[in-house]
Amino acid sequence: MTLRIRLVRWFLANALLAGISFLCAGGANQPALRLYLVAFGVMDFINILTINPVLARERSEPASEGTDPAVRSIASALFVATVAFGALDVGRLHWTFPFSKAVQMVAFAVFVAANALQIWAMAVNLFFSTALRLQTERGHELVRSGPYRYVRHPGYLAMFLVVLSTPFALGSKVALLPATMYGALILLRAVREDQFLLSNLPGYADYIEGAPYRLIPGVW
């Protein structure tokens, strides 16, 4: 996949997210929402520029759908729902009292850091596919460097933090509902992937001994 195609997809995806968000919010007059969308777009743009082209192709069009093919679509829908619910809440309906500015700023910092973690994980792991499958045609091998030295699934940790920080960054308690559903889906996917890799990827059992935590060092 060429850089030009990736940039076009980046533009269309971010334009669609912004359009949905501003439609739900009743306009573009919510500073937190504007800041969130700009940050999301910038981090996504950095990812577009830094990702390995072969990995970009695999993530966009996996050679096979793998195990749990519906997870990607469900996760994407829950992410969009999180942003949309938050925009609708803070912009039009005001269903709940907003979080304090301090909480929003901390959440925004977590959001940016989590995106950076995901970019790092993808830069290190050239097998960071959207499909849960063994990429034998690409010589799939175990990755132990970068953030994988500390947890086995830093990408899932990043996704978990990105979406769970979104309601707090936008200032909407209502958005916690789809965000929590997304978080539960990611946790289940991490367990599922652990089981899959343990059964199919050589050396993974030894890797678990050296990296005993799935997502959070010292916790789980």
Side-chain angles (χ1 to χ4, degrees), residues 18-153:
I20 293 172
S21 301
F22 293 146
L23 180 63
C24 290
N29 59 342
Q30 296 295 325
L33 180 59
R34 293 198 307 268
L35 181 62
Y36 178 91
L37 292 172
V38 168
F40 181 83
V42 168
M43 299 303 292
D44 196 24
F45 185 73
I46 294 173
N47 184 40
I48 291 294
L49 295 180
T50 57
I51 190 172
N52 183 286
V54 176
L55 176 58
R57 186 182 306 112
E58 164 64 27
R59 288 184 58 78
S60 177
E61 300 172 356
S64 68
E65 64 180 15
T67 305
D68 297 337
V71 168
R72 180 183 182 184
S73 298
I74 296 172
S76 297
L78 288 173
F79 168 69
V80 173
T82 299
V83 180
F85 273 47
L88 188 64
D89 184 13
V90 301
R92 288 182 184 270
L93 302 180
H94 308 289
W95 286 325
T96 58
F97 293 107
F99 295 104
S100 69
K101 293 297 182 182
V103 169
Q104 285 185 267
M105 289 300 100
V106 170
F108 182 75
V110 171
F111 173 79
V112 173
N115 273 282
L117 174 60
Q118 186 169 22
I119 292 172
W120 184 21
M122 292 174 70
V124 170
N125 184 2
L126 298 183
F127 307 101
F128 197 114
S129 178
T130 54
L132 179 50
R133 71 185 192 89
L134 201 64
Q135 302 166 53
T136 53
E137 77 285 355
R138 298 180 56 217
H140 198 155
E141 60 184 24
L142 187 62
V143 176
R144 301 172 182 262
S145 59
Y148 292 89
R149 292 175 294 178
Y150 310 108
V151 293
R152 300 198 295 274
H153 304 289

Side-chain angles (χ1 to χ4, degrees), residues 154-169:
Y156 288 146
L157 172 59
M159 296 174 200
F160 183 87
L161 292 176
V162 162
V163 178
L164 265 294
S165 65
T166 293
F168 297 94

